[in-house]
């Protein structure tokens, strides 16, 4: 109850905490945050309207349920549900764009360079080791069918009449038999030149056929009947020789094949025609025998009678089926109404019966008469007794009539079912009879059809045989040579320049893809897209990576002024908190993270020092009771702290380290806590937060990482809001997303995320600015006093 009152008090003091969204962070890095202006009122109003009702973050973006995080210490939580279903615009707007891929490439640039160099060197070595290859090319024209005095079809089609014919001739040219025919026309000296590769250490000499088959290429010319026959070889003389032999052998091959196939076809057609004539005679005899054995006329008449009877029975079966369905529906209704003790007179087909309708009409006035007599006379009055008896008699007669009507409906249903069964049996018998007649007629039709087909086939064979005999005597060419091949003077490969260019471009592409792939498989949070679209928080601060500083110096970088970019980054975070309706009035602010080492204590201390530098009374409270860190970061002596106050061993004034910096107090953990969860849930800790809210303008609470332990969830209900620290390229997206869902389940505003230890390269790539652009602002000679924002 105390926590609920505290929550209501905080909402009354800052009514806009859980309604207004955090304004979006501009795509800039470093001091550009200090120059950012509040968003227009229209944008704020639109953002408010877009948020769902209730405290905390929109439940669309934060579901429930978490998995176990095996990488974090302790018993924390890890991977959870995916991002909300409404995040369909992740590919547009502030999603992945060219800058993200550029960052991926820059992070893995040396891998990309290595892949590029390896690919380029490999292509160069491969190119210069290749043997020069020469190409001989002969041009051949395929011929269409010319004018013929006697039109006789070819037995073996060799003329080109369509695209499929052209493709067929292409496959003939590319066949192994064509290569074998060309190899048979070579002299022994030519074979020796052909199979010679110039490699002294070659284990086995290839055959002439394999060399010809592997080196030939048939290249058709688009939209023409012309093709180039190309042969590639290391010897330019043999390249031209084989190409010319290929064209000559192709023309001679078609001519020989045409003549041989024509003569062979004539002989085959004679044998097949004789066999077909015998088959036709046999089928004619069988057909005549079947006509004599079967009375085909009576068969056809019976078929017509059976068909008409089948149609009639089919109609009757349809009608009986409809009646059966109606009777079944009525009987089922009577059974259901009887079972549920409903009034059967409400059924139309019951109420429509004359006996039932008469009794229903009599029953109504009798009920009215009984009611009137009861109001006028006593229960033993003769007129009342007569009226009651008359009503009872009518009721009995109505029940009897209803039973009779129900029995009648059942009888109609039984009769309909019997009639339907009989009609379907008769239909099935008629169908069987029709099938038997069909079987007899089918056999006759098959015999007759086979006879006609074989008779036509015999006539076709005889005509084809006569035409083939004429075709075999006509000599025609299927192709002619247009240009013969000449001995080439320059090799066609290797193409040194082209290979090196392809190697360079391929190496560049492979390097880029490899670098982006290595970066893409890294599922750690590294960008604005990861935080706002996947984790589900607005990014309100980007802290640069600090090198060569001790941890205590980093924790007080805002106070000691050792790193101006970091100071400007915290001032930008401070500005974002001021211009947000959700956070500008928040006094108690919790800082947590997913894993240890993400810099939540560094952010907490410097954010508190930034508040103090702006004239606000500020305190920082170390709530990491398991691994306290604030005392070491400020180099404070061991004193009493939060644990002692919660245990009743110290007062509030005794645990406050006052004026550690101007307007800045520190409260450390103090004694070792045996049960941190019990202390954080105690009334003393709740009272501590309430008292600090009264004394200070801002109180920053440094809590343990949420992925490790759940301490932050016990503190958060007492806070005005929370900030989530995310270290660049450290925590996995799923782990951070799951922890944010756990924070959202508490229904306390989460002001946004702060990305820590961002490299200058990542910042300049993602946010369009670089540190060098602001060196003029960072290098002033004023003393390193804490900066203040203009009013």
């Amino acid at each position: 109850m105390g926590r609920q009152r505290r929550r209501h008090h905080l909402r009354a003091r800052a009514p806009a905490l859980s309604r207004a969204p955090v304004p979006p962070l501009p795509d800039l890095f470093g001091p550009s945050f200090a120059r950012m202006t509040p968003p227009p009122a229209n944008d704020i109003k639109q953002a408010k309207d877009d948020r769902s009702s209730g405290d905390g973050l929109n439940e669309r973006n934060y579901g429930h349920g978490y998995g176990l995080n095996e990488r974090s210490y302790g018993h924390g939580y890890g991977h959870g549900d995916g991002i909300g279903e409404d995040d369909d615009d992740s590919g547009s707007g502030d999603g992945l764009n060219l800058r993200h891929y550029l960052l991926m490439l820059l992070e893995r640039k040396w891998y990309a360079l290595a892949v590029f160099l390896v690919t380029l060197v490999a292509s160069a070595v491969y190119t210069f080791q290749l043997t020069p290859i020469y190409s001989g090319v002969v041009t051949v024209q395929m011929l269409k069918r010319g004018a013929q005095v006697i039109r006789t079809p070819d037995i073996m089609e060799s003329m080109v009449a369509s695209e499929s014919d052209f493709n067929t001739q292409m496959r003939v040219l590319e066949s192994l038999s064509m290569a074998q025919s060309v190899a048979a026309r070579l002299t022994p000296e030519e074979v020796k030149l052909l199979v010679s590769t110039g490699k002294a250490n070659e284990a086995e000499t290839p055959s002439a056929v394999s060399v010809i088959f592997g080196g030939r290429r048939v290249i058709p010319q688009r939209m023409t009947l012309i093709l180039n026959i190309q042969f590639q070889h290391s010897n330019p003389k043999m390249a031209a020789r084989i190409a010319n032999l290929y064209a000559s052998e192709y023309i001679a091959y078609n001519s020989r094949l045409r003549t041989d196939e024509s003569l062979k076809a004539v002989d085959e057609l004679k044998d097949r025609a004789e066999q077909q004539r015998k088959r036709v005679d046999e089928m004619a005899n069988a057909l005549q025998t079947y006509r004599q054995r079967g009375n085909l006329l009576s068969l056809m008449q019976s078929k017509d009678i059976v068909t008409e009877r089948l149609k009639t029975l089919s109609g009757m079966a349809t009608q009986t089926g409809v009646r059966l369905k109606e009777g079944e529906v009525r009987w089922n209704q009577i059974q259901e109404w009887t079972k549920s003790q409903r009034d059967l007179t409400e059924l139309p087909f019951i109420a429509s019966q004359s006996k039932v309708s008469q009794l229903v009409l009599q029953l109504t006035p009798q009920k009215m008469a009984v009611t009137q007599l009861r109001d006028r006379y006593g229960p033993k009055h003769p007129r009342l007794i007569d009226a009651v008896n008359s009503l009872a008699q009518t009721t009995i007669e109505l029940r009897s009539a209803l039973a009779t009507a129900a029995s009648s409906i059942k009888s109609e249903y039984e009769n309909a079912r019997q009639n339907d069964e009989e009609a379907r049996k008769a239909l099935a018998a008629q169908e069987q009879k029709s099938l038997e007649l069909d079987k007899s007629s089918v056999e006759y039709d098959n015999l007759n059809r086979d006879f006609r087909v074989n008779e036509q086939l015999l006539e076709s064979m005889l005509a084809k045989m006569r035409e083939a005999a004429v075709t075999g005597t006509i000599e025609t060419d299927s192709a002619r040579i247009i240009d013969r091949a000449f001995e080439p003077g320059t090799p066609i490969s290797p193409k040194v320049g082209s290979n090196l260019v392809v190697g360079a471009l391929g190496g560049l592409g492979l390097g880029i893809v490899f670098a982006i792939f290595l970066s893409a498989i890294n599922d750690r949070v590294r960008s604005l897209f990861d935080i706002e679209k996947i984790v589900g928080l607005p990014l309100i601060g980007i802290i640069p990576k600090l090198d060569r500083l001790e941890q205590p110096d980093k924790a007080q970088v805002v106070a000691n002024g050792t790193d101006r970019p970091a100071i400007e980054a915290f001032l930008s975070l401070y500005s974002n908190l001021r211009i947000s309706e959700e956070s500008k009035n928040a006094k108690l602010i919790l800082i947590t993270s997913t894993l240890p080492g993400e810099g939540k204590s560094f952010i907490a201390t410097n954010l508190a020092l930034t508040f103090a530098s702006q004239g606000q009374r500020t305190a920082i409270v170390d709530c990491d009771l398991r691994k306290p860190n604030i005392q070491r970061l400020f180099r404070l002596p061991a004193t009493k702290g939060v644990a002692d106050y919660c245990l009743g061993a110290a007062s509030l004034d005794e645990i406050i380290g006052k004026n550690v910096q101007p307007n800045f107090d520190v409260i450390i953990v103090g004694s070792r806590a045996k049960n941190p969860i019990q202390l954080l849930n105690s009334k003393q800790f709740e009272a501590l937060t309430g008292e600090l809210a009264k004394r200070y303008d801002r109180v920053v609470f440094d809590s343990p990482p949420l992925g490790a332990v759940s301490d932050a969830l016990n503190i958060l209900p007492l806070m005005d809001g929370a900030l989530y620290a995310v270290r660049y390229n450290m925590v996995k997206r799923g782990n951070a997303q799951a922890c944010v869902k756990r924070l959202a389940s508490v229904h306390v505003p989460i002001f946004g995320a702060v990305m820590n230890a961002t490299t200058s390269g990542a910042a300049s790539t993602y946010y369009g600015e670089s540190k060098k652009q602001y060196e003029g602002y960072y290098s002033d000679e004023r003393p390193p006093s804490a900066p203040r924002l203009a009013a």
Side-chain angles (χ1 to χ4, degrees), residues 22-51:
V22 176
L25 190 66
D27 291 341
L28 300 175
F29 171 72
S32 58
F33 291 130
R35 301 197 305 271
M36 84 184 247
T37 57
N42 297 342
D43 296 341
I44 294 179
K45 183 178 184 303
Q46 182 63 35
K48 290 181 179 179
D49 294 339
D50 290 342
R51 291 180 63 104

Side-chain angles (χ1 to χ4, degrees), residues 82-160:
I83 58 178
E85 296 178 358
D86 58 339
D87 292 336
D88 295 335
D89 58 345
S90 59
S92 61
D94 53 356
L96 289 175
N97 51 33
L98 184 59
R99 287 184 180 177
H100 294 80
Y101 292 110
L102 178 60
L103 176 62
M104 294 178 184
L105 180 59
L106 291 177
E107 289 177 337
R108 302 290 189 275
K109 58 186 177 182
W110 297 116
Y111 291 97
L113 180 60
V115 172
F116 169 76
L117 292 177
V118 169
T119 306
L120 182 60
V121 170
S123 63
V125 171
Y126 172 78
T127 298
F128 289 110
Q129 285 184 346
L130 291 176
T131 302
I133 299 298
Y134 297 87
S135 175
V137 180
V138 60
T139 303
V140 177
Q141 178 187 2
M142 298 288 187
L143 298 179
K144 288 187 176 181
R145 186 185 305 277
Q148 297 178 350
V149 177
I150 303 177
R151 299 192 58 83
T152 55
D154 293 341
I155 299 301
M156 198 286 297
E157 184 64 66
S158 60
M159 295 295 184
V160 177

Side-chain angles (χ1 to χ4, degrees), residues 293-534:
R293 185 175 68 250
N295 189 358
L296 295 184
L297 181 59
S298 60
L299 180 66
M300 294 303 174
Q301 292 175 349
S302 299
K303 179 64 177 176
D304 294 339
I305 295 172
V306 169
T307 301
E308 290 298 326
R309 179 63 176 167
L310 187 63
K311 291 180 180 179
T312 303
L313 291 176
S314 177
M316 292 177 60
T318 302
Q319 294 177 1
T320 57
V322 172
R323 295 192 188 99
L324 175 62
K325 189 64 177 179
E326 293 176 354
E328 183 180 6
V329 170
R330 291 183 176 183
W331 175 238
N332 289 338
Q333 284 184 334
I334 290 174
Q335 288 180 319
E336 292 176 1
W337 284 47
T338 303
K339 185 176 180 181
S340 60
Q341 297 182 354
R342 296 177 63 182
D343 188 2
L344 294 180
T345 59
E346 296 180 5
L347 293 173
F349 54 86
I350 296 292
S352 63
Q353 296 191 14
S354 59
K355 182 66 174 177
V356 174
S357 61
Q358 291 175 2
L359 291 174
V360 170
L361 292 176
Q362 294 177 10
L363 193 64
T364 301
Q366 289 178 356
K367 289 181 179 179
M368 294 177 61
V370 169
T371 302
Q372 293 174 357
L373 291 173
R374 281 177 178 170
D375 293 341
R376 181 179 299 178
Y377 303 109
K380 296 183 178 181
H381 193 276
R383 293 184 62 183
L384 177 60
I385 293 174
D386 292 341
V388 171
N389 292 337
S390 178
L391 176 62
Q393 181 63 29
T394 303
T395 303
I396 292 173
E397 292 178 0
L398 178 61
R399 290 177 181 173
S400 177
L402 290 175
T404 302
S407 177
S408 175
I409 295 298
K410 182 178 180 182
S411 298
E412 291 178 0
Y413 166 66
E414 295 292 341
N415 292 335
R417 184 174 61 182
Q418 183 176 1
N419 293 338
D420 184 68
E421 291 177 354
E422 292 176 356
R424 295 191 180 279
K425 288 181 180 178
L427 178 62
Q430 196 67 19
E431 288 177 346
Q432 182 64 30
K433 187 175 181 179
S434 177
L435 290 175
E436 292 175 357
L437 290 175
D438 289 341
K439 184 176 180 181
S440 299
S441 62
V442 166
E443 185 176 357
Y444 173 76
D445 291 341
N446 288 338
L447 288 173
N448 191 27
R449 182 172 56 252
D450 291 344
F451 172 73
R452 292 197 305 270
V453 170
N454 283 275
E455 189 176 29
Q456 293 175 0
L457 183 59
L458 175 60
E459 293 176 358
S460 176
M461 287 183 177
L462 293 175
K464 192 73 172 177
M465 182 179 65
R466 291 190 293 267
E467 294 172 355
V470 177
T471 303
T473 61
I474 301 174
E475 295 184 1
T476 56
D477 291 333
S478 60
R480 66 180 178 184
I481 298 175
I482 297 178
D483 294 323
R484 290 191 171 274
F486 296 95
E487 184 176 338
T490 57
I492 61 169
S493 76
K495 298 179 180 178
V496 178
S498 299
N499 288 0
L500 293 181
V501 170
V502 171
L505 294 177
L508 181 62
L510 289 176
I512 293 174
V513 171
F514 184 69
I516 293 177
F517 170 75
L518 290 180
S519 183
I521 61 177
N522 181 8
D523 64 344
R524 292 179 173 85
V525 177
R526 295 176 297 144
S527 68
L528 173 71
F529 172 81
D530 294 338
I531 290 179
E532 295 198 346
K533 290 296 182 181
I534 298 179

